[in-house]
Amino acid sequence: MKTTLTALAAFSGCAAAGWYLDRGGMRERDCLGGRVRLKTVWNEGAAFSLPIPAEILPLASAAALGLLWARRRRCPLGAGLILGGGLSNLRERTRDGQVRDYLQFPRAPGPLDRYVFNLADLCVFAGGALCLFRGGKGSRPS
């Protein structure tokens, strides 16, 4: 139940961000004293320009999300974040053939200042980090 609610919250947050960006012809602008830049970039490929053909991405994403669902008891909150963010990106990719990225962190260290993300990417990253750092602690037996 915790995984499902977390996934629903993450997916809804991503959908709300997309709605907000769609409703007003978003232009590039800096927020939080220049720490965050809202900038729309359409991404037809995989994250970080990984060499995965665009035709394979939806199927690979769906398979990965299915495997994650099967192992969700190890880290329900992290799995929920990954599932919600992953489903949001998968929905955009199957509906539009691409994913809209809109968050850039110009003051991030090293090459991270160049990348543009979306809220779904941040959910997937946070969920992955949570699962990695939490490990199997407190997990129920399968």
Side-chain angles (χ1 to χ4, degrees):
M1 185 68 146
K2 187 187 296 186
T3 301
T4 305
L5 290 175
T6 304
L8 182 60
F11 183 85
S12 298
C14 295
W19 172 83
Y20 173 78
L21 294 170
D22 282 341
R23 75 181 181 103
M26 216 252 333
R27 294 186 312 265
E28 185 174 323
R29 71 173 189 247
D30 287 341
C31 303
L32 299 174
R35 289 179 182 85
V36 176
R37 179 173 295 138
L38 295 177
K39 171 185 182 174
T40 298
V41 175
W42 290 98
N43 179 1
E44 294 179 6
F48 302 108
S49 301
L50 292 174
I52 301 172
E55 307 82 39
I56 295 174
L57 277 173
L59 182 59
S61 296
L65 292 174
L67 288 172
L68 178 65
W69 178 256
R71 304 206 24 111
R72 69 190 178 279
R73 290 199 172 128
R74 292 192 146 203
C75 183
L77 187 61
L81 285 169
I82 295 169
L83 286 166
L87 286 171
S88 177
N89 275 342
L90 181 60
R91 181 183 66 97
E92 268 194 55
R93 189 165 302 285
T94 55
R95 186 186 65 190
D96 303 328
Q98 55 193 354
V99 174
R100 176 183 25 213
D101 292 329
Y102 47 84
L103 291 171
Q104 186 177 29
F105 301 98
R107 295 186 185 171
L112 289 177
D113 64 349
R114 293 189 310 239
Y115 291 108
V116 183
F117 305 91
N118 62 31
L119 185 57
D121 296 336
L122 296 177
C123 287
V124 169
F125 178 78
L130 187 60
C131 288
L132 182 66
F133 291 125
R134 188 165 191 270
K137 295 177 189 169
S139 64
R140 295 181 218 150
S142 343

mmCIF file of all heavy atoms in Angstrom, residues 13 16 21 24 41 60 62 67 73 80 84 95 97 99 118 131 133:
data_model
loop_
_atom_site.group_PDB
_atom_site.id
_atom_site.type_symbol
_atom_site.label_atom_id
_atom_site.label_comp_id
_atom_site.label_asym_id
_atom_site.label_seq_id
_atom_site.Cartn_x
_atom_site.Cartn_y
_atom_site.Cartn_z
ATOM 1 N N GLY A 13 2.236 14.490 -8.859
ATOM 2 C CA GLY A 13 3.087 15.681 -8.810
ATOM 3 C C GLY A 13 3.717 15.978 -10.158
ATOM 4 O O GLY A 13 3.789 17.130 -10.594
ATOM 5 N N ALA A 16 1.011 17.319 -12.426
ATOM 6 C CA ALA A 16 0.693 18.705 -12.066
ATOM 7 C C ALA A 16 1.764 19.658 -12.589
ATOM 8 O O ALA A 16 1.450 20.749 -13.079
ATOM 9 C CB ALA A 16 0.553 18.836 -10.550
ATOM 10 N N LEU A 21 3.289 23.778 -16.641
ATOM 11 C CA LEU A 21 4.146 24.228 -17.728
ATOM 12 C C LEU A 21 3.350 24.402 -19.024
ATOM 13 O O LEU A 21 3.635 25.303 -19.816
ATOM 14 C CB LEU A 21 5.292 23.246 -17.946
ATOM 15 C CG LEU A 21 6.277 23.156 -16.788
ATOM 16 C CD1 LEU A 21 7.226 21.990 -16.992
ATOM 17 C CD2 LEU A 21 7.045 24.448 -16.609
ATOM 18 N N GLY A 24 0.804 27.951 -19.609
ATOM 19 C CA GLY A 24 1.176 29.333 -19.834
ATOM 20 C C GLY A 24 2.346 29.569 -20.767
ATOM 21 O O GLY A 24 2.996 30.592 -20.657
ATOM 22 N N VAL A 41 13.194 21.694 -22.475
ATOM 23 C CA VAL A 41 14.011 20.982 -23.456
ATOM 24 C C VAL A 41 13.309 19.651 -23.714
ATOM 25 O O VAL A 41 12.940 18.951 -22.771
ATOM 26 C CB VAL A 41 15.436 20.716 -22.914
ATOM 27 C CG1 VAL A 41 16.237 19.878 -23.874
ATOM 28 C CG2 VAL A 41 16.144 22.002 -22.598
ATOM 29 N N ALA A 60 11.642 -1.168 -22.770
ATOM 30 C CA ALA A 60 12.648 -1.366 -21.715
ATOM 31 C C ALA A 60 12.188 -0.730 -20.408
ATOM 32 O O ALA A 60 12.359 -1.319 -19.329
ATOM 33 C CB ALA A 60 13.991 -0.783 -22.151
ATOM 34 N N ALA A 62 9.032 -0.154 -19.438
ATOM 35 C CA ALA A 62 7.924 -0.943 -18.888
ATOM 36 C C ALA A 62 8.442 -2.220 -18.236
ATOM 37 O O ALA A 62 7.982 -2.602 -17.144
ATOM 38 C CB ALA A 62 6.914 -1.264 -19.985
ATOM 39 N N LEU A 67 9.710 -5.270 -13.197
ATOM 40 C CA LEU A 67 10.660 -5.944 -12.298
ATOM 41 C C LEU A 67 10.731 -5.245 -10.943
ATOM 42 O O LEU A 67 10.800 -5.894 -9.896
ATOM 43 C CB LEU A 67 12.044 -5.995 -12.938
ATOM 44 C CG LEU A 67 12.205 -6.955 -14.108
ATOM 45 C CD1 LEU A 67 13.567 -6.757 -14.781
ATOM 46 C CD2 LEU A 67 12.039 -8.393 -13.646
ATOM 47 N N ARG A 73 8.851 -4.783 -2.031
ATOM 48 C CA ARG A 73 8.810 -4.946 -0.574
ATOM 49 C C ARG A 73 10.141 -4.645 0.097
ATOM 50 O O ARG A 73 10.186 -4.393 1.284
ATOM 51 C CB ARG A 73 8.352 -6.349 -0.233
ATOM 52 C CG ARG A 73 6.891 -6.533 -0.560
ATOM 53 C CD ARG A 73 6.303 -7.705 0.149
ATOM 54 N NE ARG A 73 4.871 -7.688 -0.068
ATOM 55 C CZ ARG A 73 4.189 -8.707 -0.515
ATOM 56 N NH1 ARG A 73 4.798 -9.838 -0.782
ATOM 57 N NH2 ARG A 73 2.898 -8.612 -0.680
ATOM 58 N N GLY A 80 8.210 3.194 -4.721
ATOM 59 C CA GLY A 80 7.085 4.045 -5.112
ATOM 60 C C GLY A 80 7.540 5.286 -5.855
ATOM 61 O O GLY A 80 6.925 5.696 -6.852
ATOM 62 N N GLY A 84 6.467 5.915 -9.685
ATOM 63 C CA GLY A 84 5.717 7.115 -10.055
ATOM 64 C C GLY A 84 6.447 7.960 -11.087
ATOM 65 O O GLY A 84 5.872 8.386 -12.087
ATOM 66 N N ARG A 95 3.008 8.894 -25.237
ATOM 67 C CA ARG A 95 2.030 9.857 -25.746
ATOM 68 C C ARG A 95 2.649 10.824 -26.751
ATOM 69 O O ARG A 95 2.076 11.086 -27.797
ATOM 70 C CB ARG A 95 1.436 10.645 -24.573
ATOM 71 C CG ARG A 95 0.300 11.576 -24.963
ATOM 72 C CD ARG A 95 -0.138 12.415 -23.810
ATOM 73 N NE ARG A 95 0.970 13.301 -23.445
ATOM 74 C CZ ARG A 95 1.011 14.037 -22.359
ATOM 75 N NH1 ARG A 95 0.044 13.988 -21.491
ATOM 76 N NH2 ARG A 95 2.047 14.803 -22.113
ATOM 77 N N GLY A 97 6.197 10.760 -27.723
ATOM 78 C CA GLY A 97 7.410 10.296 -28.388
ATOM 79 C C GLY A 97 8.670 10.931 -27.832
ATOM 80 O O GLY A 97 9.764 10.719 -28.344
ATOM 81 N N VAL A 99 10.216 13.228 -23.956
ATOM 82 C CA VAL A 99 9.975 13.641 -22.574
ATOM 83 C C VAL A 99 10.421 15.088 -22.419
ATOM 84 O O VAL A 99 11.481 15.470 -22.901
ATOM 85 C CB VAL A 99 10.759 12.723 -21.591
ATOM 86 C CG1 VAL A 99 10.654 13.218 -20.167
ATOM 87 C CG2 VAL A 99 10.267 11.293 -21.694
ATOM 88 N N ASN A 118 13.618 16.626 -15.199
ATOM 89 C CA ASN A 118 12.228 16.919 -14.865
ATOM 90 C C ASN A 118 11.939 16.324 -13.488
ATOM 91 O O ASN A 118 12.786 15.644 -12.912
ATOM 92 C CB ASN A 118 11.262 16.415 -15.952
ATOM 93 C CG ASN A 118 11.294 14.925 -16.159
ATOM 94 O OD1 ASN A 118 11.544 14.149 -15.239
ATOM 95 N ND2 ASN A 118 11.063 14.501 -17.389
ATOM 96 N N CYS A 131 16.605 3.445 -2.014
ATOM 97 C CA CYS A 131 16.745 1.979 -2.042
ATOM 98 C C CYS A 131 18.195 1.559 -1.835
ATOM 99 O O CYS A 131 18.468 0.588 -1.135
ATOM 100 C CB CYS A 131 16.234 1.431 -3.371
ATOM 101 S SG CYS A 131 14.439 1.500 -3.546
ATOM 102 N N PHE A 133 20.695 3.264 -0.259
ATOM 103 C CA PHE A 133 21.190 3.546 1.091
ATOM 104 C C PHE A 133 20.422 2.769 2.159
ATOM 105 O O PHE A 133 20.969 2.437 3.191
ATOM 106 C CB PHE A 133 21.128 5.041 1.391
ATOM 107 C CG PHE A 133 22.101 5.816 0.577
ATOM 108 C CD1 PHE A 133 21.684 6.875 -0.224
ATOM 109 C CD2 PHE A 133 23.442 5.488 0.557
ATOM 110 C CE1 PHE A 133 22.595 7.589 -0.989
ATOM 111 C CE2 PHE A 133 24.354 6.194 -0.204
ATOM 112 C CZ PHE A 133 23.926 7.240 -0.980
#
